[in-house]
Amino acid sequence: MNARDTLNALLDNDIIPIINENDAVATAEIKVGDNDNLSALVAILANADQLYLLTDQQGLFDSDPRANPEAKLIPVVDKITEHTRAIAGGSVSGLGTGGMSTKITAADIATRFGIETIIAPGGQADVIVALAKGDAIGTKFVATSHTLQRRKQWLFAAPKAGRVTVDDGAAQAILHEHSSLLPAGIVAVEGRFARGEAVQVCTAAGKNIAIGMACYNSDALNVIKGHKSNDITALLGYEYGHVAIHRDDMVVLD
């Protein structure tokens, strides 16, 4: 959550984060191995909709274009199979630790988390802008599942570390307005839990209406409950955002 908050804070300030694995200083214990797979992990962390993997080729071909001039570009891959991995082969350019095969592995990771992935030519002018506009460039890998569904599965399965009771206004906002839970809407906090643990959200009548991942621990929520979001820093001396539970980290039960 701290890493995701850092990314969100940078983006909120119109700063583009650049994340790179430093091969010279990374130890074996923390080494990802290549920036393709690192980018897939960051895409998951950032809840990204798409991942672009830029290379010196037009995309994934049905055979090695270096050896076969008749090789054809594959525009869409619905499912990554052993055949897909086989035609990817080894490193294309020989530069760095990545190659087409690592891009396929990264695409497999990202698409399993609901992130559409595109392998595209990095040398093409304005390629990122074109991809963002939806232009058909390179090879698109279709997402095999929805990120929200995976989060729902985790939240349902995770042990509930506590309970947050909300007022009627907050309950209506959660149930009918697709809103996050703000500190002002909290009337009681039960249990002791850390930031990032799953908690139940219930009405004053005791009805469970949602499960969510707490942005603040139980001690902090007890301090800021009933207060406006603008008061968080003054009350705590720090802040992790203006919500108690973000809508993206919440499953509504009713």
Side-chain angles (χ1 to χ4, degrees):
M1 291 187 72
N2 287 336
R4 188 172 66 182
D5 286 348
T6 300
L7 292 176
N8 288 337
L10 290 168
L11 293 171
D12 287 343
N13 286 278
D14 296 326
I15 299 169
I16 299 176
I18 298 177
I19 301 170
N20 180 67
E21 181 168 88
N22 191 323
D23 297 331
V25 300
T27 63
E29 290 79 11
I30 64 171
K31 191 175 179 65
V32 174
D34 62 86
N35 281 311
D36 295 324
N37 281 288
L38 180 59
S39 71
L41 298 177
V42 172
I44 294 168
L45 179 71
N47 294 328
D49 296 313
Q50 290 184 313
L51 169 64
Y52 304 151
L53 300 172
L54 304 183
T55 182
D56 60 352
Q57 296 292 311
Q58 293 300 308
L60 178 65
F61 287 80
D62 58 5
S63 62
D64 189 346
R66 298 168 297 177
N68 179 15
E70 302 299 321
K72 293 182 174 58
L73 179 70
I74 302 173
V76 179
V77 175
D78 292 314
K79 183 179 180 181
I80 295 174
T81 64
E82 288 304 315
H83 175 68
T84 311
R85 297 179 184 280
I87 61 177
S91 177
V92 174
S93 66
L95 301 175
T97 56
M100 189 60 71
S101 61
T102 65
K103 287 176 174 57
I104 298 301
T105 300
D108 191 24
I109 294 171
T111 54
R112 288 177 185 270
F113 279 82
I115 302 170
E116 181 180 87
T117 303
I118 301 173
I119 296 178
Q124 179 174 323
D126 298 322
V127 63
I128 294 176
V129 174
L131 288 170
K133 289 180 177 178
D135 292 358
I137 303 173
T139 302
K140 178 173 71 176
F141 294 80
V142 178
T144 58
S145 65
H146 196 283
T147 306
L148 179 59
Q149 294 302 318
R150 287 184 173 270
R151 182 178 294 120
K152 282 184 177 181
Q153 293 171 11
W154 177 83
L155 285 171
F156 276 122
K160 310 308 177 288
R163 174 180 292 187
V164 174
T165 301
V166 300
D167 61 26
D168 291 342
Q172 290 299 310
I174 290 170
L175 291 172
H176 303 297
E177 299 173 19
H178 306 287
S179 298
S180 300
L181 174 61
L182 302 178
I186 299 175
V187 296
V189 178
E190 300 175 47
R192 291 189 61 82
F193 50 85
R195 178 172 183 262
E197 289 195 277
V199 297
Q200 292 179 323
V201 180
C202 67
T203 65
K207 181 181 180 181
N208 290 328
I209 60 171
I211 302 169
M213 191 165 67
C215 293
Y216 293 87
N217 66 30
S218 52
D219 291 339
L221 285 181
N222 268 312
V223 173
I224 65 177
K225 68 183 180 185
H227 291 275
K228 294 182 179 180
S229 298
N230 291 339
D231 297 331
I232 292 177
T233 301
L235 291 167
L236 298 178
Y238 64 90
E239 68 147 306
Y240 293 128
H242 68 283
V243 303
I245 300 176
H246 198 281
R247 184 69 184 195
D248 290 345
D249 298 319
M250 184 190 303
V251 178
V252 176
L253 303 178
D254 191 351

